[in-house]
Amino acid sequence: MTSPTIDADLRVLPASHPLQAGRTSGSALVSTYQGVRGPVTPVWMMRQAGRSLPEYRALRVGTDMLDACLDPAMASEITLQPVRRHGVDAGIFFSDIVVPIKLAGVDVSIVAGRGPVLPHPVRTADDVRNLPELDESALSPISEAVALTVAALGQTPLIGFAGAPFTLAAYLVEGGPSKDHLAARTMMHSDPDTWQALMRWTATITGAFLRAQIIAGASAAQLFDSWAGALSLADYTAHVAPASALALSRVHGLQYTAPDASTRTVPMVHFGVGTGELLGAMHDVGADVMGVDWRIPLDEASRRLGGTVPLQGNIDPAFLRAPWSVLEAHVLDVLARGKAAPSHVLNLGHGVPPDADPDVLSRVVRFVHDVAGEGHAAAGAAAGGSAPAFAGPVA
């Protein structure tokens, strides 16, 4: 399959794009992201693709994580697995936060049990100056994987994935995962010029990474700032928000014509872990939807955002191993609190744990679709089921 060319000047999505062609523009997910509350709350789960699924573990035998991300057929198949199994309302593109760093030419590997490791941390102005420029032709495996996936998904939308500039910068400076990101925060304050140059670099590559996915067929995108919860509001606003805004500027304004003949843009979700105090600032960088982790209730998150922003979240992953009656009550509480927002996509407040029972995840999706959705059970039965349209595996 030929992958779409990345056009830096493109503003209108290609006619074949699922949004432009009308395959996903009226989907529950896209409509909800645009602030329209439907009869059923759409649901997908962060990290739904991957480690919790036995079919993923079987497919990955003998294949390095980053190699899997850069093999178009494998990345596509992994993205499709949870859509088949769980009947979720969207696929989330299978990748890793450090993939654009790898594609730019930086030495990085993913070590089992630890995560991304960079043998040569970026600590000085010279280190930043020596970072390679991303040749956007290197993104072709990403475009190809997305194109394969959307061809198989049919009317089910695909969500693009990228790490936010601060999270990428934290990995580069720390040389790997960190609990407090002290080295990154030290550079931020002790050498602000070098920090700003590093943030411009990470914003440039992650913006290009997101744009490639959208042009290739993703119907929405989510920017993950996994480590932003380590920052104060003042530090985020002064030293991080401008770079996140720069990254999202690469995808703002990508237009399509909706079924009602209005001109719409591709919706952007912004999510961070432990970022309840940053919600307003994170929204202000150019997000349409805010993801919320499990630490604050959705009604409080909506209040902090002025009651005007669509929300995504926020089942506590710890409840996935609780008795069903406890999990069911928690899901109903999350759905009820989500009504404080203009619209709400149900998700976890963080990723699916590795030891999560896939049958429990499927049961949550069925419950939301068939029980929690007002009037949906009867309508779904009359229509012969409520699972989203899905064209099957990639050939």
Side-chain angles (χ1 to χ4, degrees):
M1 178 175 293
T2 302
S3 57
T5 300
I6 302 171
D7 183 346
D9 298 320
L10 183 69
R11 282 297 166 196
V12 177
L13 293 174
S16 60
H17 192 283
L19 288 171
Q20 196 72 276
R23 296 198 302 278
T24 60
S25 53
S27 65
L29 181 94
V30 172
S31 297
T32 302
Y33 277 165
Q34 292 172 337
V36 178
R37 183 179 289 276
V40 180
T41 301
V43 54
W44 68 276
M45 301 181 191
M46 289 182 285
R47 287 184 177 164
Q48 66 187 18
R51 56 195 186 170
S52 68
L53 299 182
E55 56 265 44
Y56 165 82
R57 293 193 291 270
L59 183 64
R60 274 282 316 282
V61 171
T63 304
D64 177 78
M65 173 63 175
L66 289 177
D67 289 341
C69 293
L70 296 174
D71 180 323
M74 185 174 287
S76 177
E77 169 60 19
I78 293 169
T79 302
L80 295 169
Q81 287 175 346
V83 183
R84 278 190 215 111
R85 178 185 275 266
H86 303 312
V88 285
D89 293 287
I92 176 72
F93 183 59
F94 175 77
S95 190
D96 188 87
I97 279 175
V98 298
V99 164
I101 293 176
K102 175 80 170 179
L103 292 174
V106 174
D107 185 9
V108 58
S109 59
I110 296 180
V111 177
R114 185 179 176 194
V117 174
L118 297 96
H120 307 291
V122 175
R123 299 282 174 84
T124 68
D126 283 342
D127 290 340
V128 174
R129 279 192 292 269
N130 290 329
L131 285 169
E133 290 188 17
L134 174 67
D135 179 349
E136 294 196 6
S137 67
L139 296 169
S140 59
I142 306 304
S143 299
E144 183 179 349
V146 169
L148 284 169
T149 305
V150 299
L153 283 173
Q155 296 177 3
T156 301
L158 177 69
I159 302 168
F161 162 96
F166 174 74
T167 292
L168 295 183
Y171 276 120
L172 286 162
V173 176
E174 302 287 346
S178 168
K179 291 183 178 180
D180 55 14
H181 314 289
L182 187 61
R185 292 189 292 118
T186 296
M187 179 191 284
M188 178 189 299
H189 294 291
S190 64
D191 193 351
D193 290 342
T194 297
W195 175 257
Q196 289 174 19
L198 176 59
M199 291 295 280
R200 284 194 298 271
W201 186 86
T202 57
T204 298
I205 65 164
T206 206
F209 187 61
L210 267 187
R211 185 178 178 85
Q213 293 171 58
I214 293 171
I215 292 174
S219 295
Q222 178 160 304
L223 192 67
F224 289 75
D225 215 343
S226 304
W227 306 133
L231 300 170
S232 69
L233 176 58
D235 282 350
Y236 179 85
T237 302
H239 301 289
V240 173
S244 292
L246 177 60
L248 288 178
S249 72
R250 290 296 309 275
V251 294
H252 278 155
L254 287 172
Q255 299 176 354
Y256 68 96
T257 302
D260 63 2
S262 63
T263 299
R264 300 289 181 89
T265 56
V266 180
M268 295 293 127
V269 187
H270 202 185
F271 171 78
V273 181
T275 53
E277 300 304 316
L278 309 181
L279 286 175
M282 291 177 68
H283 175 253
D284 289 346
V285 303
D288 303 297
V289 182
M290 285 306 302
V292 182
D293 79 356
W294 73 92
R295 290 173 175 85
I296 63 169
L298 290 180
D299 49 352
E300 171 60 15
S302 186
R303 185 193 68 79
R304 294 183 186 190
L305 290 162
T308 61
V309 180
L311 295 182
Q312 180 175 278
N314 68 341
I315 296 170
D316 185 340
F319 278 78
L320 294 175
R321 299 189 68 181
W324 173 253
S325 60
V326 175
L327 174 57
E328 178 185 287
H330 177 54
V331 171
L332 288 172
D333 181 65
V334 171
L335 289 167
R337 293 178 185 277
K339 292 184 184 299
S343 57
H344 170 219
V345 171
L346 190 73
N347 206 306
L348 301 182
H350 200 196
V352 174
D355 60 354
D357 183 344
D359 290 341
V360 171
L361 301 178
S362 295
R363 188 175 183 182
V364 169
V365 176
R366 289 195 303 272
F367 175 71
V368 174
H369 284 165
D370 298 333
V371 180
E374 294 178 2
H376 180 70
S386 61
F390 175 48
V394 172

